[in-house]
Structure formats: structure tokens, C-alpha cells
Amino acid sequence: RKSRPLVAIEARVGAAPGDLSKSERLEVAPVSLRAVFGQLALQRLGLPPITDREPSRALNGKVHADLTVDGTIGAPRAVFHAQVGDVQLDKAPVGYAEIEARYADREAKLDARLTSRGGGTLHATAALKADLGYPAVTRGGDLRRAPLDARLEAQRFDLQAFSGVTPDVRAVGGLLTASVTVQGTAAAPRPAGRLEWTDGVLAVLGFGEYRFR
């Protein structure tokens, strides 16, 4: 695009070059990063068709995102926003999404709100306690064992947007209504709640197509 750049990034580290090799000084060095992406027009081609007799499909949409990081290298704070709109599977409208991710005080949080065609909604939140600062990230900590707290709330959310999410998943459809919590860790989650999938369609390569109500 000629009017403005698709990606703009500004970064700064408050440390002298000689301090970069000294762990105790690098840990307390101030850090600042500002990044803006888009608006970007995205297109995923070659999504598997529902049957071998049909042509492949395409997912299109527009994305705008921004990232802010400050604090220190040892104790960073980060905020990420993304908006995805005008999403279409072939020419059929799918919906839009707003995503926010934050990290501060050794805790990462995610908040995702999706709206499907027909007004269905999906709201997912998650919190993970983990030290992502330096030098902790260099010690190879196992994030799968970090404490996890997640929640999913959905009201008649159309699952069509997840068609072709992997090459083996040809189609997903139906309306999802759910109220689910997950606690524990990523390695040993403890889910609880209820989930309803009505007018469901699931087509998997090599296993055929399944429909249920």
C-alpha cells in the first residue's frame, strides 16, 4: 500500500552494548517496543473441500494488530490486540473476532471474543502463571506444568469458520452453546461444565462425514 506501511516497529533497549553479555545488568535493562500491523488482507487458499468432487475453498479476511512491550527485560509487560473482520469462507460471511493478550507480574492472560454469522458469540478467557522474563526463559521451564485457569462461554456460535483448520478436517458446522471451565495445568487439565453442539457436521479425511443433532 502507498498510503502507510503495513508494518511499523519501534524498539529500544536501555543498556550499553557491553551490558548485553552481563546477566545481572541485562535483567534490569529497560525495554520498549511498539509495533502496528495492518490493516492486512489475509487469504488462505486450498482449504480442503467437503468432498473430492468439489473445488478447494478459500478463507479471506482483514487483520489489524498492535503490540506494546515495556518494563525491563527481567520483568516485561506486554499488551497485544488484534481485530479480524470481513471473514468469508469462499463468498459466505463467517464473522469477526477481537483478541487481547496481556503479560505482567509473571502472568499471561488471553481474552478472545468471536461473533459468527447470525449473531452467535464465543468468549474465551485464559490465565497462565509463568515467568517469561530473562533469565527465566533461558532455563527451559515446562509451561505445560504452569497453573492454568480458562473459561469458554458460547451462545449458538456457528462453527463453520473452523472448516479446514487442519488438512484432515474438511468441514465443521453447527451451532455451539457452552459454559466450560478448565483448571489445573496444560499437562493435566480439569474441565467442567456443559457443551451442546446442534445441527453438527464433521467431515474428516479418511473417516467420512458425520451429522448429528
Side-chain angles (χ1 to χ4, degrees), residues 142-164:
D142 190 354
L143 293 180
R144 297 176 302 171
R145 300 185 182 277
L148 171 68
D149 188 357
R151 176 177 291 273
L152 172 68
E153 298 285 345
Q155 290 292 331
R156 297 183 62 80
F157 182 80
D158 192 333
L159 295 171
Q160 183 187 28
F162 297 105
S163 295

Side-chain angles (χ1 to χ4, degrees), residues 13-31 71-75 134-135:
V13 177
D19 293 338
L20 298 179
S21 61
K22 301 174 181 178
S23 176
E24 67 280 1
R25 294 189 179 181
L26 184 61
E27 183 177 355
V28 298
V31 61
T72 66
I73 293 180
Y134 176 86

Side-chain angles (χ1 to χ4, degrees), residues 127-129 143-150 181-191:
L128 182 73
K129 294 186 180 296
L143 293 180
R144 297 176 302 171
R145 300 185 182 277
L148 171 68
D149 188 357
T181 61
V182 179
Q183 296 181 325
T185 66
R190 299 191 305 272

Side-chain angles (χ1 to χ4, degrees), residues 6 43 48 62 91 100:
L6 294 178
Q43 185 178 56
K62 295 180 180 179
K91 295 184 179 181
E100 178 181 276

Side-chain angles (χ1 to χ4, degrees), residues 44 47 161-167 169 172:
R44 184 180 178 187
L47 294 179
F162 297 105
S163 295
V165 66
T166 71
V169 178
V172 181

